[in-house]
């Protein structure tokens, strides 16, 4: 399940990056902000799963 959640996090980061760049291209500040937020959420999800793996493998 952890690999699936990491993949979801990475996919969310990619979608956020695309949304942010499209927003920059068309000059839409709202889209840039939403893309950045989505990118951050994906990074947080991925980091959480990596931390869970680290602790799981320790004990």
């Amino acid at each position: 399940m952890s690999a699936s959640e990491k993949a979801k996090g990475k996919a969310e980061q990619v979608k956020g990056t695309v949304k942010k760049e499209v927003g920059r291209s068309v000059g839409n500040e709202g889209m840039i902000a939403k893309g950045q937020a989505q990118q951050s959420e994906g990074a947080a999800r991925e980091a959480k799963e990596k931390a869970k793996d680290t602790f799981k493998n320790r004990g």
Side-chain angles (χ1 to χ4, degrees):
M1 183 163 123
S2 182
S4 171
E5 290 298 315
K6 281 189 224 174
K8 286 180 186 177
K10 186 58 81 177
E12 201 165 339
Q13 286 177 2
V14 171
K15 286 189 237 176
T17 301
V18 170
K19 191 179 287 186
K20 185 172 70 172
E21 292 305 317
V22 169
R24 281 189 184 153
S25 295
V26 297
N28 185 333
E29 293 293 323
M31 186 178 276
I32 294 170
K34 286 179 183 178
Q36 182 62 47
Q38 190 172 18
Q39 199 173 14
S40 297
E41 287 173 17
R45 176 181 285 182
E46 189 175 10
K48 178 186 85 170
E49 294 303 321
K50 284 181 181 179
K52 283 172 43 179
D53 284 348
T54 299
F55 287 110
K56 186 170 78 172
N57 292 335
R58 284 186 153 187

